[in-house]
Amino acid sequence: MRKKPEIKTCPFSNVIFTPKRNNQVFATSKDRIAYHNEKNNIIRNKISEVNKQLLKYYKILDSLLEDYQYAYVHKQYLKKVGFSFKLFTYYSEYKGNVIYGIYDIKLMKHHDENYYYIKRI
């Protein structure tokens, strides 16, 4: 004996519908896509400010490296061009030194505390 089809409510449009499959959640594929786009846009908007800052810092370091594999730069110069030491994509330790990274560029304090060693990975 067949089960009577259950009636569901779409979580996006609040439309009452009879599902064509037993795992159908949304009334239409447009509702499903719109629901997930809305959900992901909320997340994208939250992280967009952080990504803007990271991109700014990356461009600064990238311009200092130009075509070179590594460079040494003074801490005050970095601050002057707008670089901040508060936001990085990762950090690690190597021989007791902390290495900060923004995407594929790493930044490490030089022996002279006022200079930083910048290297592309």
Side-chain angles (χ1 to χ4, degrees), residues 23-74:
N23 65 345
Q24 185 176 349
V25 177
F26 299 95
T28 65
S29 61
K30 286 182 181 180
D31 288 346
R32 176 178 44 82
I33 291 167
Y35 172 82
H36 290 292
N37 281 344
E38 187 176 284
K39 187 176 167 184
N40 287 327
N41 281 337
I42 291 169
I43 294 169
R44 278 188 216 102
N45 290 337
K46 285 181 182 179
I47 63 172
S48 69
E49 282 303 313
V50 173
N51 283 335
K52 284 179 191 174
Q53 290 298 316
L54 285 170
L55 183 59
K56 175 185 172 185
Y57 302 153
Y58 180 83
K59 286 179 179 178
I60 291 169
L61 296 177
D62 188 52
S63 69
L64 291 170
L65 283 173
E66 294 177 348
D67 294 330
Y68 301 107
Q69 190 66 24
Y70 63 91
Y72 292 98
V73 65
H74 198 277

